[in-house]
Amino acid sequence: MTIPAEAQEAVKRFGISIEDYMLPVHGQIQILSEDGTILPEDQRGSTPGHQYPVPSDKELLEAYRRLVIGRRVNDQNSALVRQGRLAVYPSSHGQEACQVAAALCLRDGDWMFPTYRDAVAVMTRGVDPVEAMTLFRGDWHGGYDPHEHHVGIQSTPLTTQLLHAVGVAHAAKLRGEDTVVLAMCGDGATSEGDFHEALNFAAVFHLPVVFFVQNNQYAISVPLAHQTVAPSLAHKAVGYGMAGERVDGNDVVALLAVLDRAVSLARAGSGPLLVEANTYRMQAHTNADDATRYRNEAEVQAWAAKDPLHRMRHYLTSTGHLTGDVETAFAGDAEDIAQHLRDGLSAEPQLDPQDLFGHVFTEPTPQLREQSAFLADELSREEPSQKEH
């Protein structure tokens, strides 16, 4: 096995074998119990070289604030779909811990490449909520400038964003930039060819990429058991020569700890890593899906007991960091964003039909010029009353 020198240094630092470094822990890393108490160290699933300290109280309080906002955003966007203000919305209700931790583990200069379900992560990264939702109202563009926020446009085609992430990481390495790329995907994406190509390229070229798989148990209606018989998705990492880890995706404490270390290792030159977060999609795949056709209510309720928001609320309340006043302030922050979404998505966009031709080629082709002129002539023939309408 050919192991880069930087990865060998990480192995030496942890005092374990290269196999133990690459293989995920048995079970999963979990720090916060379902009832909101910190687990004893011997119950966290950790092993030598896979130990994770509890993040600071300041970090956890900010993470909880983001969870509150994320839940409100999910509920508000689902309502906007029913009101016809959004065409579709793939809710991450129940997965907010993954969303928040993904954004908070990165520096400003790092990059994130999200999926269509990662709107909360995109907003947590600093993108205006209305801009993040523009894609889902059916506009012709993604809504925000990826370079301004270092966030790729939310990818609707399955898994293509992983290749984009690897490309950015490769460019950053060639330029000598201190950049880590977080590439997000779901469990269904691991069945795609692009997943293999991205992981293999990242490993061969030793790139600073953290592949973050949110395993929410279903690829639309296809359960994980029908996609793979691997012990876990995190075990797929070792086949590419990279380290893998599995973490409770509803435990924001564990997620922050695991992703922080993964990003730090990638930044230090240890190569790419894969983190699988075991979570659950509480609501339907999108508003066009009927989840009752492929899963039962008992399964949903079992996962409801693991809600990341409730777990963190109980923990922070018990430590005294979350008071009634603080909770009220966080709820106010969330409601302000919900109001911003309602206002922004209720306003009718001002559309220019010529935009159809303005962003296709740097230099328009003769055919596009001809079509543009034809449209302009048609519009000029409209009656003033029609234009106003």
Side-chain angles (χ1 to χ4, degrees), residues 2-330:
T2 303
I3 304 298
E6 295 89 347
Q8 293 181 28
E9 286 301 315
V11 171
K12 290 179 182 177
R13 187 164 69 252
F14 294 134
I16 55 178
S17 68
I18 188 64
E19 290 81 8
D20 287 337
Y21 170 72
M22 289 186 170
L23 286 169
V25 297
H26 298 292
Q28 62 182 359
I29 297 295
Q30 181 182 346
I31 298 177
L32 196 64
S33 69
E34 292 176 17
D35 65 5
T37 57
I38 293 288
L39 292 169
E41 287 197 31
D42 61 355
Q43 295 180 28
R44 298 179 187 176
S46 57
T47 58
H50 295 261
Q51 293 121 334
Y52 298 92
V54 176
S56 69
D57 291 330
K58 181 179 179 181
E59 290 178 274
L60 296 182
L61 197 61
E62 175 60 16
Y64 176 71
R65 187 178 78 89
R66 297 290 187 169
L67 286 177
V68 172
I69 293 172
R71 179 62 53 87
R72 186 67 185 91
V73 163
N74 274 319
D75 292 346
Q76 181 61 73
N77 286 338
S78 295
L80 287 167
V81 170
R82 294 191 295 271
Q83 295 165 12
R85 295 300 176 181
L86 290 175
V88 66
Y89 182 63
S91 176
S92 61
H93 185 115
Q95 295 179 222
E96 291 96 347
C98 294
Q99 303 282 296
V100 167
L104 294 183
C105 73
L106 299 174
R107 295 179 183 174
D108 290 344
D110 295 333
W111 273 83
M112 171 194 289
F113 282 84
T115 73
Y116 50 80
R117 198 177 301 282
D118 296 326
V120 171
V122 172
M123 296 177 197
T124 305
R125 184 77 172 138
V127 176
D128 183 280
V130 174
E131 292 183 357
M133 286 297 100
T134 296
L135 178 70
F136 299 104
R137 73 185 303 176
D139 213 321
W140 60 268
H141 59 81
Y144 55 89
D145 180 0
H147 291 279
E148 179 183 352
H149 304 282
H150 287 197
V151 177
I153 294 297
Q154 289 182 256
S155 176
T156 300
L158 202 61
T159 326
T160 55
Q161 74 279 3
L162 299 190
L163 298 175
H164 304 156
V166 168
V168 168
H170 193 203
K173 183 177 180 180
L174 292 175
R175 294 170 177 169
E177 297 172 351
D178 180 25
T179 300
V180 173
V181 178
L182 185 75
M184 304 174 74
C185 69
D187 47 294
T190 66
S191 298
E192 296 287 319
D194 287 352
F195 178 83
H196 160 77
E197 294 166 7
L199 268 69
N200 194 58
F201 189 96
V204 168
F205 288 92
H206 198 60
L207 302 179
V209 184
V210 176
F211 295 96
F212 184 38
V213 182
Q214 295 176 75
N215 176 8
N216 65 15
Q217 314 306 314
Y218 289 93
I220 307 183
S221 61
V222 181
L224 185 66
H226 291 176
Q227 294 186 71
T228 182
V229 292
S232 75
L233 297 176
H235 279 80
K236 293 180 179 287
V238 70
Y240 297 97
M242 69 177 72
E245 193 67 284
R246 195 176 190 217
V247 59
D248 182 346
N250 286 16
D251 177 0
V252 73
V253 181
L255 281 162
L256 287 170
V258 170
L259 286 173
D260 277 348
R261 191 179 81 160
V263 169
S264 294
L265 286 170
R267 196 182 308 281
S270 296
L273 302 96
L274 186 152
V275 175
E276 175 194 0
N278 192 31
T279 185
Y280 196 76
R281 169 170 53 78
M282 293 300 299
Q283 297 180 347
H285 178 70
T286 68
N287 52 293
D289 172 43
D290 180 5
T292 62
R293 299 183 63 181
Y294 53 84
R295 67 185 190 185
N296 59 59
E297 185 61 21
E299 177 182 295
V300 176
Q301 290 306 312
W303 276 93
K306 305 175 183 180
D307 187 282
L309 191 68
H310 298 161
R311 289 162 78 169
M312 277 299 288
R313 179 184 295 126
H314 291 159
Y315 170 67
L316 291 171
T317 300
S318 68
T319 61
H321 291 92
L322 184 63
T323 63
D325 289 343
V326 173
E327 183 78 68
T328 299
F330 289 176

